[in-house]
Structure formats: structure tokens, C-alpha cells
Amino acid sequence: MKTSIASCIFLALLVSSLSAQSVLISGQLLDKDTDEAIPYASLRVAGTGVGTVSNILGEFSLSIPISSIHQRLQISCLGYADQEIPLSSFREAEKKIILLKEQTFTLDEVVIYSTDVTAKELLELAFEHVKDNYPQKGYLLNTFYRHYCKEGNVYGRLIEAAIDLYDKKGYRKPVKNPSKKFGVKFKQLRRSVDFTSISGFSHSAHALPVVLRMDVVGYKNFQVFAEKEPKNIDFFFEDTTYFQGEVVYVVRAESKKPSYHHTMDFYISADNFAILRYEQVSNSSHTFKSTTTSWKGKHVFNYQLYQGKYYLEHSLDEARRITQERDSLGQIIHTSDHFHHVELMVNEIQTQHFQKVDGEMPTESTLAAIPYDPNFWNNYTVLQATPLEQGIKQDLEARISLEDQFSGDDRTGQLSEIQDELMSQKLERMLTINTNQPTLLCFWDSHYKPGLKELLFARKLAKEYGETDIRVRLIFISLDRNEADWDAAIRKYRLYAGQHMRLAKGVNAGIARKYGVTGSPYFVLMDKRQNIIIQGAELPKRSHIDDLMGRLGD
């Protein structure tokens, strides 16, 4: 077969411009009749495990091997007819517009098997056919991970990563958590400074387990819930649609609990009972003492068919949490509005001749050791950002460029200044929100062993007094310049009590100067009005604290 002139020209341009083994193509999917964007469509190079999904505006980009340029791009989306397009029809640095046609039904296709088959029974059939529809042996997924947060209307955190996931045994049986199922390797990572109010040790390093747990086929989340709450769930047929030429039924499971309401939609193939998509929308509200918290969340999990089995294609988790703190008169004294968005997209499925991954879910210290390589991202398939997400760059670069944040380049000390300013703001919030608690500040350094012994004693004291009516709030403030050392010491000595923060500039940070800290250890004991009672290098003796407890509660 002769190669077309257009394909030859395209290939020549790619080789000359990239001098690499891959090329990045991009486009946008639109409804042929309405011109509306088509989000979360599946796109794959025919005959391979290489693919991507479109974003909420129908936009996509895909890194393909140059050797695949003569193949075709397969496009599938719920409710639309499948389409194939020659990869040679794409042009470098040009967004190709692709129109998809909605697929309509004939009357007999929307009939649900028989009146004897209920929505619940159809869902049960789907779970019974897991062994037929999903892989029963190990495989490897090359994925792209994105995680961002914002507070109010301001973005405060961005993490993107290239992650290899090795499913050790496939879908032989559901497990309790992702660590029992996957080997994990973070190949590359780029992340900003964490500007959110829960920055520091209390903010998890990543949320990979969250998006993986939404795999209802692989984990015991929905099954366990259904078994525990059978009387609190309604099942019914919600909709009928198409996917890859097959009829798909949408079964809805809806919670009856008003305190925690959620709907769960299962998209089930009429042909083989495979679950093709899972969506959950949840909301809750509760009040505990002076704190009211409302929460709204959305979870989506998409599967893709490859070599006769269904694998993860795309997973989304996002939620907004609003918390209000009130004083003794019922007046609102503090409001926090936190939103997170986490996505995982599969770029390639490998079922044979791949290298197994045995790594566990990475800790903060593990991620901190990954060197940032900006060249890696030039030809890596990422989920296209939407215009809404473009605000991330503007907000996060208000004080320092994203590239400097990604690389951790702190030659000017600017990152350390930002880190310590955030810690100062965090401490101020902690001291002012709950004003009816005495507080013990413990300044420490992981390299000073005698100080660590005193910290263990401080933790024990806080636990003892925490069981009385007068609770002592314990705040550990590390003077470690190295974040990995700080994280390792917390885990080694199990300093899990209280709150944690780290001052990047050590004793030169504003907080340390404010309290007169010159070295480690250093302790500051305050009453509930933030009046300093004792401060110095020695931890107050137990008998001394016993004598002061009456004053602390005044």
C-alpha cells in the first residue's frame, strides 16, 4: 500500500520538529447538530492500548508513537455513534474539530428484558458477571493524575503526576483498599506550593486512593454499603442510552437517609451486563458542638473495552466542604470554603511484556525525592485543561512562577518565605478559632535527640489532660529545613498527636522570632486567651503543670 503525500509531509514535519519517537495531536469533539462540546469521550489508537479522554469542553490531546501515524483514532461516547479518523489527518500544533452524531433508538431496543427483571436484579447480574467482563490476571496502566484545590474562588494547590499502576491480580475478587490491589510508581511529578488553609502535614500528599476507590467493581464500597443499608436504598431504571453500538441501561440506587443523601448511577451494557460507567452524587450536613459542616461531592468512574475485557479509563472525584465556626453566642467567627478536584486518566493499557511495579502508595518524603524534569511533560499525554482551570496558573503564580514551584528552586529564599508565611497564617487561625483551649507549642528539630524525648513526654501530657474537662491543644512546630527529615521523624517517633507544621527558615522564621525561639527544643504554654504562662527550653514538669491547670481554665 502506498503512503499518501499528506501522510508523508505530516510525518516529515513531525520527525524534523520533535526528533523524538512520539508526537502530540489535539482536537475537540462537538455534537454535529448542536455544536455543544462532548465531554469524557473515549479516544484510542486502533488496535493498541494507547488512548485518552476528552475534557468537559470536548478537548483532548494525545501523545502517539510516530510508528502509529498510519493507524486510525477510534472515538466512542455514551449516546453517540462511534467514529474512526485517520491519525494522518491531524496537523501538528492544530486543533482538529471532530463532529459526532447522536445515536437514536428504535422502540424495541428500549424494552427492559421483561417485567420480571427489576433494576436491583439487573445490577446484581452486573456484579455476578465481573469475572467474565473484567481482567482476572495482572496488567499495567500508564496514567496521568491531576489534583487541584481552591478556597472560595482562589486556587491554592496543583499536583500533576505520571503514574504507573500495576494491578497484581485483576478483578478476581473485590478488596478493601487500593493498597491491596495496586503496585504504584510515580514516574514524574510537578506540584505547586500548597497555599490552602489546611496546608502542611494535615494535607495529604496525594489523593490517588480516593479516585481508585470509586471503582465499584474492584473495591468493597458499594457492595458493603448495600449489604448494611438494604432498607435505605431504592433501585430503579433511570435511563437508556447507547455505547459502541450497544444498548446501555442506567440503573439508579438512591439513598433514603436525609442526613447523607446520595444517588449512584450504574451504566450497564444490555449485551454482557458489564458496568461501563459509575456516577455518584452526594451531599450531607451536620453540626458538632460549635461547628457546622456541609459537604457536596461527585464521583465518576469510566471503564474501557480492550482485548475483550474492561479496564479503568478515567476517574473523577470532586467535592466542596464549607465549615462554619460559631462562638458561645452563636455568631459566626470563621468560615472555610474548600474545593478539591482529582482526576486519573489512563494513557495506555499493557497486558503483556511489561515490567511489574511493587511500590506502595507514596508518602510525602517519597514524593519530595522525585526530581522534576520539565522536558518529560513536553510529549506526555495529559488531560486537557478547561478555561476554568486556566485560573490555576494566575492564582498560583501571584508570588512566584509555577516552574520555580515545580522545581523547588529556592536560591533566593522566596519559597521559604512563602512557606513560613503560610505557617504563620495557619497558626493564627488555629489559635483564634477555638479560644476556649489552653495551648502548648512545641518547637523541635528532628536532628536533636534529647529534644525528641521531651516531645514524646509532651505528647503523653497532652493525652492525659485531653481526657479531662480542660483540653490542652498540642501544636508541634518543626525547625527542620529539610521536609523529608521532618516527615520521617514524625513517622519514626509516632508523633501523631496534635497539629503539625514546619518552618522552612528554622529559627529565622517569623513565628520563631515572635516567641523568642533560639534553638530546639523550645516550649510555649498559653492559656485560652493566648496569654503566655511559661516559655523556654525546658518542658514544664508534670507537678508544675498540675498547679497551673486551674489558671489555664480561667
Side-chain angles (χ1 to χ4, degrees):
M1 181 181 295
K2 294 184 177 180
T3 304
S4 68
I5 295 177
S7 296
C8 290
I9 294 175
F10 179 46
L11 183 58
L13 287 172
L14 298 181
V15 174
S16 63
S17 62
L18 293 178
S19 300
Q21 298 302 310
S22 63
V23 61
L24 201 64
I25 63 172
S26 62
Q28 183 179 26
L29 305 180
L30 300 176
D31 186 294
K32 185 175 182 179
D33 298 321
T34 65
D35 282 338
E36 293 181 353
I38 301 177
Y40 304 122
S42 172
L43 303 101
R44 185 188 300 128
V45 178
T48 75
V50 177
T52 186
V53 299
S54 60
N55 69 3
I56 198 170
L57 291 184
E59 298 168 334
F60 68 90
S61 66
L62 177 62
S63 178
I64 60 171
I66 290 179
S67 59
S68 300
I69 196 60
H70 302 303
Q71 294 178 260
R72 302 176 71 82
L73 183 67
Q74 297 175 328
I75 306 171
S76 303
C77 185
L78 281 165
Y80 288 87
D82 291 355
Q83 190 171 153
E84 287 194 5
I85 296 178
L87 287 171
S88 58
S89 66
F90 287 84
R91 295 292 177 265
E92 183 188 5
E94 180 180 299
K95 184 168 71 174
K96 185 179 183 66
I97 302 299
I98 302 171
L99 304 178
L100 299 186
K101 179 69 175 177
E102 186 175 0
Q103 190 162 2
T104 57
F105 299 99
T106 60
L107 186 60
D108 60 339
E109 288 175 320
V110 299
V111 175
I112 305 293
Y113 305 97
S114 76
T115 55
D116 295 330
V117 178
T118 66
K120 182 179 180 181
E121 289 170 340
L122 182 57
L123 183 56
E124 290 172 345
L125 280 171
F127 283 109
E128 289 174 6
H129 282 74
V130 166
K131 63 181 180 181
D132 302 319
N133 292 320
Y134 304 86
Q136 302 295 299
K137 61 180 182 178
Y139 59 90
L140 186 73
L141 301 177
N142 304 132
T143 72
F144 168 71
Y145 169 90
R146 174 180 288 138
H147 178 182
Y148 61 77
C149 300
K150 65 178 180 179
E151 294 187 335
N153 295 318
V154 180
Y155 291 96
R157 188 187 197 205
L158 173 65
I159 304 174
E160 293 183 326
I163 307 173
D164 281 349
L165 297 174
Y166 168 51
D167 189 342
K168 306 168 186 177
K169 298 181 179 180
Y171 289 79
R172 295 182 189 177
K173 62 179 181 179
V175 296
K176 291 183 178 180
N177 58 68
S179 63
K180 300 293 184 181
K181 184 175 175 66
F182 281 107
V184 180
K185 180 181 179 180
F186 275 62
K187 295 186 297 185
Q188 257 297 310
L189 175 74
R190 56 185 183 188
R191 58 177 176 172
S192 71
V193 172
D194 188 351
F195 294 101
T196 62
S197 65
I198 58 172
S199 60
F201 187 76
S202 59
H203 205 162
S204 61
H206 60 86
L208 181 59
V210 175
V211 290
L212 290 176
R213 250 187 230 110
M214 299 317 299
D215 179 358
V216 293
V217 177
Y219 301 101
K220 296 179 179 179
N221 44 16
F222 175 78
Q223 295 97 316
V224 171
F225 172 76
E227 290 172 1
K228 289 183 177 180
E229 304 284 347
K231 296 181 180 180
N232 294 318
I233 306 177
D234 281 331
F235 296 88
F236 51 90
F237 291 107
E238 175 69 11
D239 198 2
T240 309
T241 185
Y242 263 113
F243 185 69
Q244 295 182 337
E246 299 176 2
V247 175
V248 175
Y249 299 120
V250 184
V251 171
R252 170 162 292 187
E254 185 168 5
S255 167
K256 301 176 185 178
K257 282 189 173 182
S259 59
Y260 181 61
H261 180 266
H262 47 255
T263 59
M264 296 157 284
D265 289 340
F266 299 81
Y267 291 72
I268 303 173
S269 169
D271 180 59
N272 56 15
F273 306 111
I275 297 175
L276 309 179
R277 179 181 174 91
Y278 169 73
E279 295 182 12
Q280 177 178 323
V281 177
S282 308
N283 62 79
S284 66
S285 180
H286 68 272
T287 299
F288 178 73
K289 294 184 178 180
S290 60
T291 303
T292 299
T293 301
S294 61
W295 184 90
K296 293 183 178 180
K298 178 180 181 181
H299 315 284
V300 179
F301 203 96
N302 289 298
Y303 302 88
Q304 59 182 313
L305 183 62
Y306 177 61
Q307 295 181 343
K309 300 293 182 181
Y310 290 89
Y311 299 81
L312 163 65
E313 179 177 54
H314 173 252
S315 182
L316 163 70
D317 175 88
E318 61 181 26
R320 182 183 183 188
R321 184 184 65 251
I322 299 177
T323 303
Q324 292 183 330
E325 302 277 351
R326 299 178 184 272
D327 59 20
S328 58
L329 299 177
Q331 300 296 317
I332 297 175
I333 58 175
H334 179 75
T335 298
S336 65
D337 183 352
H338 187 87
F339 173 84
H340 76 257
H341 176 105
V342 186
E343 286 186 270
L344 183 71
M345 178 181 70
V346 174
N347 290 343
E348 184 176 8
I349 304 168
Q350 298 182 42
T351 58
Q352 56 185 348
H353 308 307
F354 59 83
Q355 185 173 358
K356 297 179 180 179
V357 176
D358 296 323
E360 299 179 349
M361 291 292 171
T363 63
E364 174 59 44
S365 57
T366 304
L367 296 184
I370 300 175
Y372 169 62
D373 179 8
N375 295 323
F376 173 87
W377 297 97
N378 292 336
N379 293 305
Y380 192 75
T381 299
V382 304
L383 188 66
Q384 285 290 288
T386 67
L388 172 65
E389 293 164 350
Q390 297 298 333
I392 296 174
K393 181 177 175 64
Q394 179 179 346
D395 289 348
L396 294 180
E397 287 195 328
R399 282 177 280 189
I400 186 172
S401 74
L402 266 179
E403 281 300 312
D404 285 342
Q405 294 182 52
F406 290 157
S407 64
D409 186 356
D410 198 27
R411 287 172 293 180
T412 65
Q414 193 172 3
L415 283 173
S416 297
E417 287 284 354
I418 292 173
Q419 165 74 14
D420 290 347
E421 180 184 342
L422 291 171
M423 292 301 99
S424 179
Q425 294 171 5
K426 179 180 179 179
L427 180 60
E428 187 66 24
R429 283 192 299 270
M430 291 169 63
L431 293 176
T432 56
I433 290 175
N434 296 318
T435 56
N436 59 348
Q437 283 183 294
T439 302
L440 178 61
L441 305 181
C442 302
F443 293 86
W444 66 293
D445 187 320
S446 66
H447 301 94
Y448 187 69
K449 298 301 185 290
L452 291 173
K453 292 180 180 179
E454 292 172 304
L455 289 179
L456 295 174
F457 184 60
R459 184 185 67 181
K460 183 177 180 181
L461 283 178
K463 181 179 179 181
E464 290 180 0
Y465 288 115
E467 295 172 352
T468 69
D469 291 336
I470 304 172
R471 297 187 60 83
V472 178
R473 178 172 44 193
L474 183 63
I475 302 176
F476 289 106
I477 304 176
S478 170
L479 303 176
D480 281 288
R481 300 295 184 95
N482 186 287
E483 186 173 10
D485 291 345
W486 168 58
D487 182 68
I490 289 174
R491 300 178 189 281
K492 179 179 179 179
Y493 297 100
R494 302 185 65 80
L495 296 173
Y496 298 131
Q499 297 286 328
H500 284 265
M501 59 182 67
R502 181 181 69 89
L503 304 180
K505 298 182 70 174
V507 295
N508 296 317
I511 293 177
R513 294 197 303 268
K514 176 180 178 180
Y515 292 104
V517 180
T518 56
S520 172
Y522 193 90
F523 303 94
V524 179
L525 187 62
M526 296 183 288
D527 64 19
K528 67 180 183 180
R529 296 187 178 89
Q530 300 178 41
N531 297 315
I532 296 177
I533 296 176
I534 295 176
Q535 65 184 120
E538 293 186 5
L539 179 69
K541 296 180 180 179
R542 186 191 301 270
S543 58
H544 195 180
I545 294 182
D546 285 337
D547 293 338
L548 289 171
M549 286 305 293
R551 290 172 53 194
L552 286 172
D554 293 337

